[in-house]
Structures are given as structure tokens and as C-alpha cells.
């Protein structure tokens, strides 16, 4: 490896985080959400999370990877299937699929499968993305359970506003009303609900961002007391040193000017690696175990950092962009985005190191 930037994926932290989640939902089963290539961590680096009850993702291709690695427990397709022919793969690989539209029901009626499949019937909770109107739930459920191709049907909703207590109460009441008198499993909770609204946990919870050690609210302080560990660390090294005089500028646009004599470190990391282009001056960076800050504009391949409080830092000094000390939520928050996006934006050119 020539260029020093590297992303480290700590599988021990991942397993630790799952154990924390399980302690929060002792009566529920856990779907570990690994869509978007496991939130940028790499599905091949995550699939060994054997303590989970099931994996939830988007693509059949990723589901097949899991099966070929020997995973024989449940797999949930969160957006369902996109073509009628997908049902043959769902049947062959024993996948569970979301049903959210009428055409999918017609497809189930008109295909000949070897085995009945498990269905997650998605109800629109008010986000108005995917899902049936709640008034249609009983009609559609009756239709589905009458089909030879359907085995078990689970009610599914998604809480899109878990910060709003009224929204959660409405979702809880809606769920209770829909399943009254039915032997119908439910899956409502996401990471935010698991943390703050255990009343909607039900049979299965779907947990994503918590597994990777970041906050569903985007604020690290909201989860600082539950002992989650960051799974991804993005690190690099200083590759250059500049000595500025008062009034000297840094980088594109010369938008940062030194107010005094200043020592600057040039770090091998830029937006082409997945670091946020809009990270402002002041974004925290760790250099040789001392917290300092980004100065100037992020460029494609490099950032510049203030070494005023790092007198021993030199070329080759270690830099943490995010990880155990600099939380990914902190970097995202000051950059006007969320930790989810930074994880998913990790570039393919960044080498990955796995800690087992």
C-alpha cells in the first residue's frame, strides 16, 4: 500500500454493538440491516455477524452472497422484488420479501413456486414512500394468506419521525388496532425506536446505524451513555508540512488566512476518499492522539490541519479522520450531513483493514 489512507473495520466492535442492541430488546428478534454494502462497511466484512437473527438488505444479489457464504437464517428484502422473475430466486434462496404494491400481489398469484415464501406486508405509516394505506391492510392480508405461494405474513411499518413522541404513539395505536384479534407478527422499530420507544419493538426490530456505532439522531451525545463502539475508523498520515506567516493562505480559493505564524499538516485524505467536501474549518481531526482541526477547503485528495497544538507532529504522523476518538457523527454534523452518508460514501479506492 503506497498511499497511507486506510479504513479499518472492527468486527469485534460490530459484535459488541449487536450485544448492546440485544440487551435493549430482550423479547424481540433482530434484523441486522446491511443495505448499501453494509452502510459502506462492506457486506463481505459483515456477514459473519452470526449472533443476529436475520439480515435485512435491498438486493437479491447481496442476499445470494450471504447464502453462498453459508448463512442459513432469515434474509429480508426491504424493498421487495422488482421483477416477476425475482420470485424464483426468492423461492430458491429462501428469502423473505416485503410486499408494498398491488403488482407484486398479482405476480405472486401468477407464478408457480416450489415453496411458499414469507411476506412482510408494508403499511404506509405516513411517510408516503412505500406501503399500502392502512385501511387496506385487512383486505390485502386476507388476499395474501389465501395464496398458495404465501407462508407467513408479518405486518411492517417504518417510523420516519422517531423524534416526535406523538408520531410514535400514533404508530403504536395504529399497530394495535390493525393486529387486534389476529395472530400476526409485527416489525415496526428501527434504531431510533429501539433506543427511545421500546413500546413499538414487537416481534422483530430492524437495526442499522446502531450496529455501526453511530447515532440515529445524528448527534453522538444521544448515544454516548450506551457504550456503542465505532466499527469504521478512517485514518491516514501527514504527508507534508507547511510553515505559514501571518496573512498566508491555504488551498483552493485561499479562503483561510493565517492570523499568526502557523504550522500546517497536509493529510492524504480528500473528498475522493469519502471525506465530506463541505467540512468547514474547525472540523475536529486527531493527530498523534491530540485533537486539532481542519483548516481551509477540502480538496480531492488532501486536507490541511492545524498543528499548533501538535508540536511533535511531523511527516508520517498518524491522523484519525473519524473513529474511536473523532466520532463520525461529529464530522457529519459540522459538515451539514449525517453519519449514514459518510459511511456510505467511503470510496472504493480506500484500502480496508479488517480486525477480527
Amino acid at each position: 500500500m503506497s498511499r497511507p489512507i486506510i479504513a479499518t473495520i472492527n468486527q469485534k466492535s460490530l459484535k459488541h454493538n449487536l450485544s448492546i442492541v440485544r440487551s435493549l430488546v430482550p423479547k424481540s428478534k433482530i434484523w441486522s440491516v446491511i443495505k448499501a454494502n453494509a452502510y459502506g462497511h462492506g457486506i463481505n466484512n459483515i456477514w459473519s455477524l452470526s449472533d443476529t437473527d436475520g439480515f435485512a438488505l435491498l438486493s437479491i444479489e447481496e442476499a445470494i452472497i450471504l447464502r453462498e457464504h453459508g448463512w442459513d437464517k432469515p434474509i429480508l428484502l426491504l424493498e421487495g422484488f422488482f421483477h416477476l422473475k425475482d420470485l424464483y430466486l426468492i423461492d430458491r434462496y429462501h428469502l423473505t420479501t416485503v410486499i408494498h404494491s398491488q403488482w407484486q400481489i398479482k405476480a405472486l398469484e401468477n407464478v408457480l413456486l416450489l415453496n411458499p415464501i414469507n411476506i412482510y406486508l408494508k403499511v404506509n405509516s405516513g411517510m408516503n414512500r412505500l406501503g399500502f394505506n392502512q385501511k387496506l391492510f385487512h383486505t390485502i392480508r386476507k388476499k395474501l394468506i389465501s395464496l398458495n405461494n404465501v407462508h407467513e405474513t408479518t405486518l411492517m411499518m417504518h417510523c420516519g419521525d422517531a423524534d416526535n413522541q406523538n408520531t410514535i404513539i400514533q404508530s403504536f395505536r395504529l399497530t394495535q388496532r390493525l393486529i387486534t384479534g389476529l395472530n400476526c407478527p409485527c416489525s415496526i422499530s428501527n434504531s431510533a425506536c429501539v433506543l427511545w420507544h421500546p413500546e413499538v419493538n414487537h416481534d422483530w426490530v430492524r437495526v442499522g446505524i446502531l450496529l455501526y456505532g453511530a447515532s440515529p439522531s445524528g448527534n453522538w451525545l444521544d448515544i454516548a451513555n450506551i457504550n456503542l463502539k465505532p466499527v469504521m475508523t478512517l485514518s491516514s498520515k501527514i504527508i507534508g508540512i507547511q510553515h505559514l506567516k501571518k496573512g498566508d493562505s491555504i488551498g483552493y480559493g485561499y479562503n483561510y488566512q493565517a492570523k499568526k505564524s502557523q504550522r500546517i499538516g497536509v493529510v492524504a485524505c480528500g473528498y475522493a476518499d469519502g471525506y465530506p467536501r463541505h467540512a468547514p474549518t474547525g472540523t475536529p481531526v486527531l493527530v498523534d492522539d491530540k485533537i486539532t482541526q481542519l483548516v481551509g477547503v477540502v480538496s480531492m485528495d488532501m486536507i490541511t490541519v492545524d498543528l499548533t497544538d501538535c508540536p511533535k507532529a511531523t511527516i508520517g504522523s498518524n491522523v484519525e479522520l473519524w473513529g474511536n476518538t473523532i466520532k463520525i457523527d461529529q464530522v457529519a454534523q459540522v459538515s451539514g450531513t449525517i453519519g449514514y452518508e459518510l459511511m456510505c460514501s467511503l470510496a472504493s479506492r480506500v484500502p480496508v483493514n479488517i480486525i477480527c
Side-chain angles (χ1 to χ4, degrees), residues 312-336:
K312 295 183 179 180
T314 187
I315 292 176
S317 288
N318 294 320
V319 178
E320 178 185 286
L321 289 313
W322 61 69
N324 289 317
T325 302
I326 306 298
K327 306 304 182 186
I328 195 169
D329 287 326
Q330 295 175 299
V331 178
Q333 198 166 35
V334 297
S335 304

Side-chain angles (χ1 to χ4, degrees), residues 12 15 53-55 99 118 169 180 183 194 196 203 209 244 277 321 329 338 345:
K12 293 180 181 178
K15 293 176 181 178
D53 299 297
F55 284 115
I99 296 292
N118 290 330
I169 292 173
T180 297
N183 181 22
V194 163
W196 302 306
D203 303 277
I209 197 70
L244 305 187
R277 169 69 175 79
L321 289 313
D329 287 326
I338 54 178
S345 297

